[in-house]
Amino acid sequence: MAGKPRILRSIEKASREEIEKLQLQRLRETVKRAYEKVPFYHRRLKEAGITPDSIRSLEDVRKIPFTMKDDLRRNYPYDLFAVPLSEVVEIHASSGTTGKPTVVGYTWRDIENWAEIMARSFAAAGVTREDIVYVALGYHWFTGGLGFHYGAQKLGALAVPAGTGFTQRHVMMIRDLGATVLGAVPNYALRLAEVAVEMGVDPVKDTRLRTGIFGAEMWSEELRKRINKVWDMESFDIYGMSELYGPGTAIECHHHDGLHVWEDHYLVEIVDPKTGEPVEAEEEGVLVVTPLTHDAMPLLRYWTNDLTFLYDSEKCDCGRTMRRIGRIKGRADDMLIINGVNVFPSAVEEIILGEPMVNHHYQIVVEREGNLDRMYVYVEAARKLSEREREELAARLQYRLHEALMINPRVRIVEPGELPRAEGGKAKRVIDKRKL
Ligand code: DLL
């Protein structure tokens, strides 16, 4: 059983001055290394009229051009590395549905940094060396599995390298091993519970899972409520991306009010998605991150494309002073424009899952019909329903979606088990046929 949440390192509650002093020192080192060791950055910075000496304050970071995902693709696979390949001990790559994948590299120092931020993240969620951490995240190419694995081990907990797929087997092992902590993508936490029930395993009575650490995809508060209820667990939102090592850039503390960024390792900015200019605290924009301790592959002002905001206050009741970001609303390109109305899938999820008669499997399909966009929302009923119940439920959801989001989707209620399951991977929630 997970213990009390705790602060693993004193830096987590350092004064602002102390944190910023360290950030500036590390930012200068990072810019210098990128300039000297990575030809791409040497060119980029020179073109922008910047030398490492141009960085005298944290605000000076704004002089540096953004690094975009495309820059990684163009330098595929190794051209952004700042060290010889002989010093690289691990790589990961994005699955990359189109074009080339993006490759990220790690030296042993990187692996140690990554394990450190993940160990802190686990401690923030109350995980201790007594815990058995069941890592139901992909271990091949994807950063989720190994990131959780290194962090749990660094903390001294027992890490189970379970991976994804084989859902029934996971249920059995979670029960038999007495796993206490689950690491997964949020949709899989519910899928595991669903399969447990099908197998006659009671998620609460027959297992010891009481803490969940979930991320890698957008998940609404409604989804969290469902997870917490079905497993009788406390779940924590963790953020990260391959380009930033993987999971562990930021995590919620037990107050569940925003995610603390490990600011001694990451300098974060929130910028306007259109202009790239900084926005005010509490205002939504794109998260831009400069890793401060990356060794193999320094990145400057990485444009994550994820939408969130920075909290105004640095103080949190947990005692940490590391600044918080809001939960990720989605990627900027997740926004759907339906006949001129902007809508985020996260807002649709929040409404659908507020309805107890549906389970958590849903899919949004957008098509073009003549001159109009048409949005279909397929939702699985939680149990077998009569024709009439289905129609009433669809009408109710349609009304709520229209009222809250000003969109006019067609809601179709389908039988339990009809929609595809991700079995451990990120759920594919949206199919936009206009883009196919
Ligand atoms: O998803 C790393 C990760 C693994 C994070 C396990 C957390 C847990 P990528 O595959 O490179 O890396 O995908 C990164 O996933 O840019 C976000 O759009 C999304 N994402 C990650 N964490 C969250 C989260 C991993 N907590 C992309 N909430 C990011 C919402 C998230 N979206």
Side-chain angles (χ1 to χ4, degrees), residues 69 94-95 137 142-145 148 184-185 213-219 237-243 245-248 250 259 304-306 327-331 334 426:
K69 199 174 187 84
S94 74
S95 44
L137 287 157
F142 185 50
T143 52
F148 272 63
V185 295
I213 303 180
F214 306 124
E217 64 182 6
M218 175 282 294
W219 54 310
D237 189 4
I238 189 164
Y239 171 77
M241 69 194 313
S242 321
E243 297 89 320
Y245 286 156
L259 288 78
T304 67
N305 219 21
D306 288 321
R327 293 183 74 191
I328 304 291
K329 181 172 172 189
R331 300 175 63 81
D334 286 343
K426 304 187 190 213

Side-chain angles (χ1 to χ4, degrees), residues 191-253:
R191 173 70 182 144
L192 282 163
E194 186 178 67
V195 172
V197 172
E198 281 164 19
M199 291 166 65
V201 173
D202 183 326
V204 177
K205 293 203 189 94
D206 299 333
T207 81
R208 294 177 64 218
L209 279 187
R210 295 300 171 262
T211 302
I213 303 180
F214 306 124
E217 64 182 6
M218 175 282 294
W219 54 310
S220 62
E221 265 316 298
E222 288 298 333
L223 197 88
R224 188 210 306 264
K225 276 190 211 153
R226 287 178 176 228
I227 296 174
N228 288 353
K229 187 164 171 223
V230 70
W231 286 105
D232 186 21
M233 69 165 41
E234 180 175 1
S235 53
F236 294 80
D237 189 4
I238 189 164
Y239 171 77
M241 69 194 313
S242 321
E243 297 89 320
L244 307 174
Y245 286 156
T249 310
I251 189 166
E252 288 179 337
C253 64

Side-chain angles (χ1 to χ4, degrees), residues 190-191 194-195 198 357-363 378-385 390 412-423:
L190 282 178
R191 173 70 182 144
E194 186 178 67
V195 172
E198 281 164 19
M357 273 171 75
V358 306
N359 66 28
H360 69 285
H361 301 286
Y362 71 92
Q363 201 157 51
Y378 296 90
V379 192
E380 266 186 27
R383 59 176 169 81
K384 226 174 154 38
L385 300 178
R390 274 220 301 269
R412 302 268 188 268
I413 307 297
V414 301
E415 300 270 320
E418 219 173 287
L419 294 176
R421 268 65 175 145
E423 303 301 354

